[in-house]
């Protein structure tokens, strides 16, 4: 079975996707982390973020894989644990530029489809229901108000020791929403078969239970 979870930044997709995969015994794949790893690598190498060909060469050459810890999913690239590094503000600021290049998206979508090819997965991102897993049995679109999403992101960063001003995060998320939904390929959008969940006033547990009821109730 394939389950797609799409939605804007900070809507709580990753936490819910990881928990849902755990409940169902499926593998969780965080595709945002893959774009983040590529961005981190590109920044490390001082690449021009608008040089699509050079970035795509990098995308095709790196090996990203996930490891499940008890509470968190670790992201590794070429043997290095990048779980914390890919959440740094410089990656947040650059990732939607990297993710806007059509050839990069094609490379990433191929890798994601390959990862999901022979297993049951819960995959989260922006274009999962439309491009990566168009045949997914369930396509959830998880959203929340931009203010609530900024508040959650601020709390999440604070918990990992990064104290960033709420308004800075709000601006950043607004800019990223715009880039993610206006790009030409793989833009974030609600599909005709999306199941929309507005999590603004719901806890992770409530969103999870709602998804499980939909999946198991049929
Ligand atoms: O979900 P996230 O915030 O970790 O995603 C990081 C960035 O990657 C975000 O700006 C959108 C982009 N992304 C994408 O374009 N397609 C995906 N399938 C997943 C993420």
């Amino acid at each position: 079975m394939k389950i797609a979870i799409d939605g804007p930044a900070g809507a709580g997709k990753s936490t819910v996707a990881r928990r849902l995969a755990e409940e169902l015994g499926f593998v969780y794949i965080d595709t945002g982390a893959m774009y983040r790893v590529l961005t981190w690598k590109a920044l490390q190498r001082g690449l021009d973020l608008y040089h699509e060909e050079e970035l795509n060469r990098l995308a095709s050459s790196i090996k990203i894989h996930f490891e499940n810890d008890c509470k968190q999913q670790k992201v590794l690239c070429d043997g290095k644990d990048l779980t914390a590094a890919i959440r740094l503000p410089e990656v947040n600021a650059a990732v939607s530029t990297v993710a806007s290049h059509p050839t990069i998206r094609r490379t990433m979508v191929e890798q994601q489809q390959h990862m999901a090819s022979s297993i049951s997965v819960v995959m989260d991102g922006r274009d999962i229901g439309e491009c990566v897993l168009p045949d997914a049995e369930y396509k959830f679109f998880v959203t929340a108000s931009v203010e609530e999403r900024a508040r959650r992101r601020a709390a999440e960063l604070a918990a990992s020791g990064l104290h960033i001003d709420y308004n800075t995060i709000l601006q950043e998320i607004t800019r990223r929403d715009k880039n993610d939904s206006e790009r030409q390929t793989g833009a974030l959008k609600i599909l005709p078969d999306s199941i929309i969940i507005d999590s603004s006033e719901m806890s992770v547990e409530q969103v999870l239970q709602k998804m499980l009821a939909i999946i198991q109730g049929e």
Side-chain angles (χ1 to χ4, degrees), residues 9 13 30-33 35-36 87 95-96 99 105 124-128 153 176 180 183:
K13 297 184 305 291
D30 175 356
T31 63
Y35 288 94
R36 287 172 177 275
R87 305 284 157 197
V95 65
S96 58
R105 303 202 65 82
D124 80 340
R126 305 293 189 286
D127 59 340
I128 310 304
R153 206 28 62 109
R176 215 135 58 86
D180 291 343
R183 68 168 165 250

Side-chain angles (χ1 to χ4, degrees), residues 99 105 126-127 130-131 180-181 183-189:
R105 303 202 65 82
R126 305 293 189 286
D127 59 340
E130 187 185 28
C131 306
D180 291 343
S181 48
R183 68 168 165 250
Q184 301 216 315
T185 333
L188 173 67
K189 61 168 96 74

Side-chain angles (χ1 to χ4, degrees), residues 5-10 13-14 28 30-36 39 86-87 91-92 94-100 105 108-109 112 123-128 132 153 172 176-177 179-180 183 185-188:
I5 303 184
D6 290 303
K13 297 184 305 291
S14 323
Y28 164 48
D30 175 356
T31 63
M34 297 173 70
Y35 288 94
R36 287 172 177 275
T39 304
I86 61 168
R87 305 284 157 197
V91 176
N92 287 341
V95 65
S96 58
T97 304
V98 171
S100 69
R105 303 202 65 82
M108 288 299 196
V109 168
Q112 290 153 6
M123 201 179 251
D124 80 340
R126 305 293 189 286
D127 59 340
I128 310 304
V132 185
R153 206 28 62 109
E172 218 274 323
R176 215 135 58 86
D177 279 358
N179 284 353
D180 291 343
R183 68 168 165 250
T185 333
L188 173 67

Side-chain angles (χ1 to χ4, degrees), residues 1 3 19-26 120 122 212 215-216:
M1 188 191 279
I3 298 176
R19 291 282 313 280
L20 183 65
E22 226 169 68
E23 289 287 328
L24 298 170
F26 292 7
S120 288
V122 177
L212 283 170
I215 296 164
Q216 294 168 343

